[in-house]
Amino acid sequence: MSRVRWSEAERQALAATFREVGPGAPTLCEGWRSEDLLAHLVMRETRPWAIARDMTSRPEPGEEPRQSQVARAASTPGGYAALVDELLGTDGLRPTRFLGDAGNLVEFVVHHEDLRRAGDSPSPPRRLPEQMRDAVWKQLALMGRMAARKSPVGVVLVSTAGPRAVVKRGADSVAVVGDPVDLALYLMGRGERAEVEVQGQPDVVAAFTSALG
């Protein structure tokens, strides 16, 4: 199996969902509509330096100078369709493509769910192929360690597919249980739409959820 197989398959699926929802659709990313999210993904791949320059001014979500300019151009059906095509393109220098699944799979999966699960009628969770779920799971240990830094208690990630990973040790711990995709959503701040269960003693769970928001 190629190291980029699943991230590229998810790119195609994500592009199809972008086309389905069209411009102006809600997302789980605060301040962003579908065209903002699409602009972010394209710029991340083709102009990452522009995203970095946007972030230096600490803009409010949806008010990123360079990204917003691209998003505005994609607010029309024609501009939007062209930007989806650019997401699928292979022309020019695209450094993140060389990262394969390690750099792109979770990014694409989470942002795909940002589209699917937003709004008043969110789509139900997808059942990804087993090998793809395994590929997502492999990225979660590092993500979990970073997310759990603020936790005052130990944290164990538990996949409904079977494996588990201790991402922070502590005398008292919680277990965060869910499908790898939902665990990724939870760790990346989409807890309200992530189908996970936080298990443990009530006071320990309360301390954990308070710290992680």
Side-chain angles (χ1 to χ4, degrees):
M1 182 179 66
S2 166
R3 70 187 182 96
V4 301
R5 174 183 175 184
W6 296 118
S7 56
E8 291 307 306
E10 186 66 0
R11 181 195 300 272
Q12 295 289 331
L14 176 55
T17 299
F18 270 121
R19 288 196 175 104
E20 179 182 347
V21 302
T27 78
L28 297 183
C29 301
E30 181 184 356
W32 288 5
R33 310 295 285 182
S34 51
E35 61 267 32
D36 297 288
L37 178 55
L38 178 57
H40 166 76
L41 288 169
V42 170
M43 292 177 67
R44 172 183 179 268
E45 186 159 282
T46 63
R47 301 183 289 283
W49 52 89
I51 291 181
R53 290 183 66 187
D54 274 355
M55 292 301 100
T56 59
S57 61
R58 299 180 180 272
E60 292 294 320
E63 297 180 6
E64 302 85 355
R66 294 159 188 84
Q67 180 176 297
S68 294
Q69 184 177 6
V70 175
R72 283 194 297 271
S75 61
T76 65
Y80 185 86
L83 200 58
V84 175
D85 289 342
E86 192 171 354
L87 177 64
L88 295 172
T90 58
D91 59 305
L93 180 63
R94 295 176 180 242
T96 59
R97 279 190 182 257
F98 294 104
L99 300 175
D101 284 359
N104 294 314
L105 179 56
V106 170
E107 177 84 7
F108 288 160
V109 166
V110 169
H111 283 320
H112 197 171
E113 296 307 310
D114 284 336
L115 283 177
R116 297 184 68 259
R117 303 195 193 191
D120 296 331
S121 301
S123 298
R126 293 177 291 162
R127 179 70 176 183
L128 299 182
E130 182 178 353
Q131 288 180 311
M132 188 173 181
R133 294 169 74 203
D134 290 344
V136 172
W137 170 257
K138 289 178 182 178
Q139 309 300 319
L140 296 186
L142 177 59
M143 289 175 55
R145 287 194 292 271
M146 295 178 65
R149 286 179 299 177
K150 296 181 179 179
S151 173
V153 300
V155 183
V156 182
L157 302 181
V158 182
S159 168
T160 51
R164 59 178 57 213
V166 178
V167 295
K168 183 168 186 178
R169 299 188 180 279
D172 298 305
S173 297
V174 297
V176 186
V177 184
D179 180 87
V181 172
D182 285 282
L183 290 172
L185 288 170
Y186 187 84
L187 293 175
M188 295 185 73
R190 279 76 165 175
E192 291 186 359
R193 295 295 171 96
E195 295 192 357
V196 303
E197 182 180 359
V198 181
Q199 300 176 348
Q201 294 296 323
D203 59 329
V204 180
V205 170
F208 169 76
T209 55
S210 176
L212 267 71

